[in-house]
Amino acid sequence: MSLINLIEFEEIGDSRGSLISLEQMKNIPFEIKRIYYIFGTKKKVSRGFHAHKNLKQIAICLSGSCTFLIDDGRRKDTIRLSRPNVGLYIDGIKWREMHNFTKDCVLLVVASEHFNEEDYIRRYDEFLKVVNE
Ligand code: T46
């Protein structure tokens, strides 16, 4: 089964344009404790390269595009995010990498927990050990 879990958000559009509303426990399947966004990513820079022990996140590319790689230790899948009405839901212990950001990429991430460096697994060998336990 693919590791790419996409959520399509309903657009509340009218003659003026589009609007999308994100609501915890409605179209976001967890309580939202944090929102951050990544922008201005330099050319040829990749980000991520870690997993989380206990964090649910939804990543939405509000403008531009970037590629996510999701890895559960057994398989890897990739997805190019380029639409502001589509979120990539990442839960469980998954290694993630983000590549090929366009200059105009604004990546919004909605997270279930406050920032906690202790929740990160930043070494791939440690990630493999944890998922194979
Ligand atoms: C993830 C991917 C999709 C904070 O202080 N607060 C925050 O909320 C975040 C997200 C980061 N930071 C600090 C931690 C580092 O010193 O900002 C610095 C950059 O974070 P990091 O290198 O982890 O960023 P990315 O782009 O590699 O990963 C981020 C998230 O950290 C991560 O949870 O899943 O985006």
Side-chain angles (χ1 to χ4, degrees), residues 11 15 53 86 105:
E11 279 186 52
S15 57
K53 296 174 199 160
V86 173
C105 181

Side-chain angles (χ1 to χ4, degrees), residues 34-36 38 46-50 52 55 57 59 68 90 96 98 101 107 109 113-117 120 122:
R34 180 167 50 113
I35 294 172
Y36 60 91
I38 293 168
S46 293
R47 304 190 61 125
F49 299 93
H50 58 256
H52 284 281
L55 182 67
Q57 298 197 108
F68 262 81
I90 312 167
R96 80 280 322 261
M98 294 100 83
F101 287 81
L107 182 68
V109 183
E113 304 297 333
H114 296 295
F115 176 72
N116 175 12
E117 187 60 45
Y120 283 73
R122 292 196 182 268

Side-chain angles (χ1 to χ4, degrees), residues 65-110:
S65 58
C66 68
T67 299
F68 262 81
L69 176 145
I70 306 292
D71 174 353
D72 70 354
R74 285 178 294 276
R75 65 176 285 165
K76 298 174 200 231
D77 289 308
T78 59
I79 179 82
R80 184 96 187 143
L81 292 183
S82 61
R83 291 194 288 146
N85 65 328
V86 173
L88 172 65
Y89 183 26
I90 312 167
D91 68 344
I93 304 176
K94 311 257 169 51
W95 188 261
R96 80 280 322 261
E97 298 173 9
M98 294 100 83
H99 301 284
N100 299 318
F101 287 81
T102 57
K103 202 177 170 190
D104 58 346
C105 181
V106 179
L107 182 68
L108 179 86
V109 183
V110 180

